[in-house]
Amino acid sequence: MPDPVKAGRRRTAAPSKGDLREQQILDVLEDLLAVKSFDSLTTSDIAERAGLSRASTYFYFSSKQEALVALFARTVESLREKSRAAAGDPAAPRDAIATAMTRTRDRWHEHGLIMRVAIDQASTIPELGTLWTETADVFIDAITTILVRADVASHEGPDGARALAGALCWMIERTFYHASAVSPEALDQASETCRVVWLRTAGLEP
């Protein structure tokens, strides 16, 4: 399995032919997951859709599990960037919360399927769980920062800002997970509900 951090790290140099081929394989995997379950998917399916031989596909990824880790790393890197942006957002807490929820909702609209598959597979592919936990930690940091700016106490304990941020983060994750599997409209509604919960936790009126 690849190093999750390395897999999710953005390259600064122009992509090589090999880099482009690797990204093509990940794009194909994402497309296939829209029509086939991960458990029933094979490396041959990926190779055929990508127009490659199995041997060529194995040159880039030793298994479909390794490819899924790389695809998930690519997906959550954007979530991490948006969470870091939320932590540094100079807007009033109410507006910062709205922006953070909109950005998170949009990412789930775009890649909700991949995130659900990765969450489902995390029990058997530990690298996925590590990536998701690390991404959640970045989001928790952002939520904590916004709560403190809204005058929520930052002390240790179950009612401190970070404890509340952790609960909010995982509430949002579970809510988005289920809603994104229903419909885009359900995800929009879930996002609004989570925004209201976050506002009330921050002591702000919706």
Side-chain angles (χ1 to χ4, degrees), residues 111-135:
H111 295 293
L113 173 62
I114 300 307
M115 290 190 277
R116 293 197 308 274
V117 170
I119 291 167
D120 290 342
Q121 295 294 324
S123 61
T124 56
I125 308 175
E127 291 85 354
L128 294 173
T130 298
L131 276 168
W132 198 228
T133 298
E134 290 173 352
T135 301

Side-chain angles (χ1 to χ4, degrees), residues 8 22 39 67 76 135 139 144 170 186:
E22 179 180 305
D39 289 337
V76 298
T135 301
F139 193 34
T144 301
W170 293 112

Side-chain angles (χ1 to χ4, degrees), residues 69-195:
V69 171
L71 175 59
F72 189 51
R74 185 178 74 175
T75 301
V76 298
E77 179 58 28
S78 177
L79 277 174
R80 295 186 190 192
E81 290 176 359
K82 294 180 187 304
S83 294
R84 294 185 188 103
D89 191 341
R94 180 187 302 277
D95 296 330
I97 290 169
T99 299
M101 290 306 308
T102 297
R103 289 171 173 169
T104 305
R105 179 205 64 196
D106 289 349
R107 200 60 181 166
W108 276 86
H109 268 307
E110 187 177 2
H111 295 293
L113 173 62
I114 300 307
M115 290 190 277
R116 293 197 308 274
V117 170
I119 291 167
D120 290 342
Q121 295 294 324
S123 61
T124 56
I125 308 175
E127 291 85 354
L128 294 173
T130 298
L131 276 168
W132 198 228
T133 298
E134 290 173 352
T135 301
D137 285 343
V138 176
F139 193 34
I140 290 169
D141 288 342
I143 297 173
T144 301
T145 298
I146 294 171
L147 288 178
V148 171
R149 288 179 53 220
D151 295 325
V152 174
S154 61
H155 61 77
E156 297 293 332
D159 60 344
R162 186 159 187 88
L164 293 173
L168 280 169
C169 172
W170 293 112
M171 178 273 294
I172 292 169
E173 186 251 25
R174 283 290 88 187
T175 302
F176 277 27
Y177 173 95
H178 291 291
S180 68
V182 175
S183 69
E185 294 75 20
L187 183 57
D188 288 340
Q189 183 175 340
S191 177
E192 178 61 14
T193 299
C194 291
R195 184 186 70 85

Side-chain angles (χ1 to χ4, degrees), residues 5 23 46 119:
V5 174
Q23 295 307 310
I46 300 171
I119 291 167

Side-chain angles (χ1 to χ4, degrees), residues 17-19 21-22 25 52 55-62 66:
K17 182 178 179 180
D19 293 334
R21 182 61 56 82
E22 179 180 305
I25 292 171
L52 301 170
S56 295
T57 303
Y58 281 128
F59 176 80
Y60 295 98
F61 300 104
S62 64
E66 186 176 54

